[in-house]
Amino acid sequence: MEFDLNRLLRPHIATLKPYSSARDEYSGKEGIFLDANENPFGSITEDTFNRYPDPYQKDLKARIGEIKGVDSSRIFLGNGSDEAIDLLFRAFCRPGVDNVILLPPTYGMYEVSAGINDVATIKVPLTANFQLDIPAIQAAFTPHSKILFICSPNNPSGNKLNREDIRTLISSFEGLVVVDEAYIDFSDEPSFISELDRYPNLLVMQTFSKAWGLASLRLGMAYASVEIVAILNKIKPPYNVSGLTQSKVLEALQDLSSMHQMTANILSAREHLREGLLKLPSVHKIHPSHANFLLVNIDRPKETYDELVRHKIIVRDRSKVTLCEGCLRITVGTPAENHQLLEVLSQITP
Ligand SMILES: *Cc1c(COP(=O)(O)O)cnc(C)c1O
């Protein structure tokens, strides 16, 4: 399948003249900066928050590129993955004309972002064991289908999707395939980043919100061809990643071993939690997880959810979601938090 990025791109974006920021015109670090109407003093004296941050996050991208083995020119950084998702809609999907393909049950932001941008969604459910229904997905493609969102490991089911199936879809779709790897660091599955050279219509998303434990900083990554990254850079708000975020994430990236240790601890806590839950008579099934949460089929999910809330324990009620009937989604907490959850659940009488 020949991929034509120019056919995918909305024509007005192709001809758009982007905002040129003060920092675009002069990018040196030394000098007397009287170009951006900043306050030369600032309120927090030990830092440089009075200055606008690097709009292209060069230092951060250099470090991320080094760790992930990708050139900086193939990395887009956004205010969370959610920003990248929204920008993809704005770059490629004409409101009221184009559509995107979603594979429920999956991450809710794809549909919300589609709705905000007035873009139709075509939904093709996963199979009963949460895998890709290749023939049904391929049958759903229309000439106006611009983006196919695949989440692996998938939220809320927790499983990883068959790699060969993902490849089949990338090769057979004329639009852009987004592989959302928000949970990849909890999985033994290699990232699709290594396949970017093979597939010009692939975009891989990752985030600092989960395994890195930095959800509040709001930093999401998109990896794609130089051309696709250039389009996202062209339409993003100029200073979309704050200076605080850039410096704090750079700090976290100094120490990969802590992150790996933290991830290993969460995985071991997940297995303890799984064993504890399986001992409860109210728990019928726990779906296999390659992420930091468990999808748990349980008696009376809504009542159980409410009872947990009364004990100030908040989980996610997914029992009304396609293929997740009867299920709560439970994030793995600290060992103490997981223990408390099990205590409360064991006291709820059926
Ligand atoms: C949590 C999550 C994200 C992260 O979004 P951010 O905006 O980066 O915090 C992305 N995709 C999926 C599937 C998620 O579950």
Side-chain angles (χ1 to χ4, degrees):
M1 191 81 41
E2 198 59 45
F3 175 64
D4 182 359
L5 184 60
N6 290 322
R7 190 196 68 83
L8 206 65
L9 189 62
R10 292 168 73 188
H12 76 286
I13 298 293
T15 55
L16 176 85
K17 190 179 175 324
Y19 177 73
S20 174
S21 74
R23 294 295 177 266
D24 279 329
E25 288 166 18
Y26 180 85
S27 62
K29 283 185 179 168
E30 302 292 319
I32 297 175
F33 289 97
L34 306 176
D35 58 346
N37 297 350
E38 297 151 339
N39 176 331
F41 303 112
S43 300
I44 304 175
T45 47
E46 65 272 21
D47 220 308
T48 56
F49 294 141
N50 60 319
R51 298 295 175 186
Y52 280 106
D54 175 3
Y56 297 110
Q57 312 98 21
K58 288 182 211 65
D59 294 345
L60 190 48
K61 281 182 187 167
R63 181 72 183 122
I64 293 172
E66 188 176 82
I67 293 168
K68 303 283 177 176
V70 228
D71 192 80
S72 292
S73 60
R74 309 185 78 168
I75 306 174
F76 170 82
L77 297 180
N79 184 359
S81 314
D82 295 343
E83 182 177 37
I85 295 169
D86 179 64
L87 291 176
L88 289 171
F89 277 99
R90 295 208 255 164
F92 298 115
C93 303
R94 289 167 295 177
V97 178
D98 292 326
N99 65 67
V100 298
I101 315 260
L102 306 183
L103 312 173
T106 194
Y107 185 44
M109 270 314 285
Y110 313 140
E111 181 161 20
V112 171
S113 231
I116 292 169
N117 288 286
D118 190 21
V119 170
T121 58
I122 296 178
K123 293 182 190 164
V124 185
L126 296 172
T127 63
N129 60 346
F130 300 120
Q131 288 295 328
L132 297 162
D133 187 342
I134 302 283
I137 297 168
Q138 288 175 333
F141 296 159
T142 77
H144 288 311
S145 300
K146 293 296 189 76
I147 310 176
L148 164 63
F149 286 94
I150 299 176
C151 185
S152 180
N154 186 45
N155 176 9
S157 57
N159 62 302
K160 58 183 181 184
L161 303 182
N162 185 323
R163 197 173 188 87
E164 271 314 311
D165 288 349
I166 297 176
R167 288 202 183 104
T168 301
L169 288 175
I170 302 172
S171 317
S172 58
F173 186 50
E174 284 189 3
L176 184 71
V177 177
V178 172
V179 177
D180 187 343
E181 296 185 336
Y183 299 96
I184 190 80
D185 292 310
F186 298 108
S187 159
D188 52 3
E189 188 73 8
S191 169
F192 264 84
I193 290 175
S194 60
E195 313 213 10
L196 285 172
D197 283 334
R198 192 184 319 179
Y199 301 114
N201 62 331
L202 170 64
L203 180 143
V204 178
M205 283 197 322
Q206 296 182 351
T207 178
F208 280 90
S209 298
K210 307 290 157 62
W212 281 96
L214 296 171
S216 172
L217 290 181
R218 310 305 303 128
L219 190 70
M221 296 157 274
Y223 307 89
S225 69
V226 174
E227 292 78 15
I228 292 174
V229 167
I231 292 167
L232 295 176
N233 279 330
K234 184 176 175 179
I235 66 173
K236 78 182 182 71
Y239 306 109
N240 62 327
V241 177
S242 79
L244 180 64
T245 296
Q246 295 187 42
S247 66
K248 285 290 170 190
V249 172
L250 257 178
E251 191 181 313
L253 287 170
Q254 299 308 312
D255 188 4
L256 292 182
S257 64
S258 297
M259 181 272 208
H260 290 137
Q261 187 56 55
M262 187 163 59
T263 307
N265 291 345
I266 290 172
L267 292 184
S268 115
R270 182 186 73 195
E271 291 320 298
H272 269 96
L273 178 60
R274 176 194 300 281
E275 287 161 23
L277 287 167
L278 283 172
K279 288 190 187 125
L280 301 173
S282 56
V283 169
H284 303 300
K285 178 175 177 162
I286 302 177
H287 293 275
S289 174
H290 286 89
N292 64 334
F293 58 85
L294 294 170
L295 186 67
V296 181
N297 192 297
I298 193 163
D299 274 340
R300 305 190 309 142
K302 175 75 177 86
E303 291 77 4
T304 305
Y305 171 87
D306 291 339
E307 184 62 19
L308 286 172
V309 168
R310 278 190 280 279
H311 287 83
K312 296 197 161 51
I313 297 176
I314 326 300
V315 298
R316 203 83 201 270
D317 180 6
R318 300 282 79 182
S319 61
K320 299 281 177 289
V321 172
T322 321
L323 294 172
C324 300
E325 293 80 8
C327 289
L328 298 177
R329 192 195 69 188
I330 302 178
T331 305
V332 179
T334 64
E337 290 170 340
N338 302 334
H339 179 77
Q340 226 176 313
L341 167 79
L342 290 170
E343 278 293 305
V344 173
L345 282 177
S346 67
Q347 283 157 20
I348 298 177
T349 45

